[in-house]
Amino acid sequence: MFIRRTLAASLCLFPIAALAAPDLAPIEPQMVTIEAGQFMMGSARAANTQPVHSVTLKAFRIGKYEVTAAEFQRFAEATRYKAPRMCLQMASKRWFASVPNEFVAGATLQSLSRFEPATCIGWNGADAYVKWLAKETGKKYRLPSEAEWEYASRAGTSGRYFFGNDETQACRYANLADRSAEAAIRRDFDGLEAREHTGVIPCDDKAGYASIVGMYEPNAFGLHDTLGNIAEFVQDCEHDTYAGAPTDGSAWADAQCKARSLRGGSWHWRGFHASHRGALPPDFIGALEGFRVAEDIVAPAPTETKPGPFDLELAQAQQAERARRAAIADIPRPKG
């Protein structure tokens, strides 16, 4: 069995030049301005998040949401980007296996799945996207640094999660491996149980796999989905510890980068603590990883991004999905 990754799971993307949309201008992301500040980066919970160290950051902007399938598809069509042909994702009883990506044109993206995070693109795809976005708009878009990502995700908090330490509340704030994910995996994979691999968080958000972006309550800075949905690539190269890490919020890059840092969690995992970090080789292509955009603030300060047609469509899709979930159970409505 191969899961078609629509609303029930993330969407893999391919450009189909013959079906390119007439308007190939970028879909500019909704951005949140993060004021300059200082925080203690890292945690004593794991060796690769030590030593805990003070970081002072200048102001920057970061995406309110993870980059969606529709946004990446626009880039792929405009540039004829050659997306990877294989992607590691859930397939049959083998749990995760490398299988061919689906061929999806912008004209055939389903009305809800196009608002899920773009995955199966790897770090190189994320980097190519932000460079194109910067070139087309004249703005200083880029991937966030690891320090910027953690600072923005924590939003001034110091607990295990940005909302506190009680994981039973996690389904209000993140799409994680919860009871719905467990039920979906049992249903779709011949009774296979997620708890044998990842554990199951003790709550239920009524989403089995990846979700439309922005369906969960934001952190204090107004960012959605930093704890779950999909993990996010950042600029930095992998380093075993923070010994020698920059203290100014900049990315920690090397001339030869064997792996790129990855932050946050996904629908496949229980909630990771706010300082959790992973890494993957740049050529790794998987269904659990995506990205969000950052932007340098230059004088004069950029104006706030005005909602466009895509943003209005996203809001309608979010409303429809909230109604679907509310029909299943009475769950708290997200803010923001």
Side-chain angles (χ1 to χ4, degrees):
M1 183 205 314
F2 167 57
I3 290 291
R4 289 187 60 83
R5 299 182 318 123
T6 58
L7 177 60
S10 297
L11 180 63
C12 291
L13 302 170
F14 279 86
I16 299 182
L19 297 177
D23 180 9
L24 297 182
I27 301 172
E28 288 207 58
Q30 296 185 51
M31 303 294 286
V32 174
T33 298
I34 307 297
E35 300 296 336
Q38 183 179 29
F39 81 117
M40 299 304 295
M41 184 174 182
S43 167
R45 292 184 175 93
N48 73 340
T49 60
Q50 298 180 50
V52 177
H53 58 289
S54 177
V55 176
T56 301
L57 304 93
K58 62 183 181 181
F60 64 99
R61 303 180 80 206
I62 193 167
K64 181 178 181 179
Y65 304 122
E66 295 157 336
V67 173
T68 63
E71 291 169 280
F72 195 89
Q73 183 71 30
R74 180 70 62 85
F75 153 71
E77 291 173 343
T79 63
R80 300 191 179 187
Y81 180 75
K82 294 183 178 180
R85 297 304 181 187
M86 302 294 286
C87 178
L88 189 68
Q89 57 184 301
M90 296 183 72
S92 187
K93 292 182 179 180
R94 293 175 293 172
W95 193 237
F96 272 71
S98 186
V99 298
N101 274 346
E102 294 180 275
F103 284 77
V104 182
T108 62
L109 288 172
Q110 296 187 23
S111 61
L112 294 180
S113 63
R114 64 196 298 264
F115 301 109
E116 293 175 10
T119 63
C120 290
I121 47 94
W123 188 90
N124 289 325
D127 185 56
Y129 175 89
V130 294
K131 287 178 178 175
W132 170 77
L133 188 64
K135 179 181 178 181
E136 293 297 309
T137 63
K139 298 179 180 179
K140 293 185 177 297
Y141 287 118
R142 54 178 173 77
L143 290 176
S145 71
E146 197 169 355
E148 289 172 334
W149 194 99
E150 183 171 328
Y151 181 69
S153 177
R154 281 188 173 278
T157 64
S158 58
R160 179 177 176 86
Y161 312 114
F162 66 78
F163 60 85
N165 297 314
D166 183 2
E167 74 171 358
T168 65
Q169 299 299 310
C171 289
R172 292 175 53 193
Y173 301 94
N175 183 16
L176 301 169
D178 62 354
R179 291 167 183 155
S180 281
E182 175 75 354
I185 290 168
R186 284 182 179 177
R187 178 193 67 221
D188 297 334
F189 293 93
D190 301 322
L192 188 66
E193 294 191 6
R195 65 170 54 93
E196 297 175 359
H197 301 264
T198 65
V200 176
I201 203 164
C203 61
D204 192 347
D205 66 359
K206 309 305 176 186
Y209 299 106
S211 169
I212 294 172
V213 299
M215 288 303 303
Y216 303 83
E217 292 189 33
N219 68 11
F221 286 170
L223 305 186
H224 294 262
D225 301 317
T226 61
L227 177 61
N229 213 15
I230 50 98
E232 301 176 21
F233 287 111
V234 293
Q235 284 190 55
D236 303 56
C237 297
E238 178 189 25
H239 294 89
D240 292 338
T241 72
Y242 283 138
T247 59
D248 61 356
S250 61
W252 195 5
D254 301 324
Q256 298 294 327
C257 193
K258 296 181 179 179
R260 295 285 179 172
S261 291
L262 193 69
R263 300 304 301 256
S266 78
W267 58 263
H268 179 68
W269 302 103
R270 291 184 72 149
F272 294 137
H273 62 80
S275 294
H276 175 85
R277 60 199 296 250
L280 288 171
D283 60 354
F284 179 90
I285 308 299
L288 301 180
E289 300 83 32
F291 66 106
R292 75 178 68 218
V293 173
E295 180 188 359
D296 289 331
I297 293 180
V298 296
T303 57
E304 294 299 321
T305 306
K306 294 182 179 179
F310 176 77
D311 301 314
L312 299 178
E313 292 177 25
L314 172 58
Q316 292 173 349
Q318 291 169 335
Q319 184 176 9
E321 176 62 2
R322 290 184 188 117
R324 183 195 72 82
R325 296 186 189 187
I328 298 174
D330 184 17
I331 59 176
R333 294 179 65 84
K335 301 175 182 178

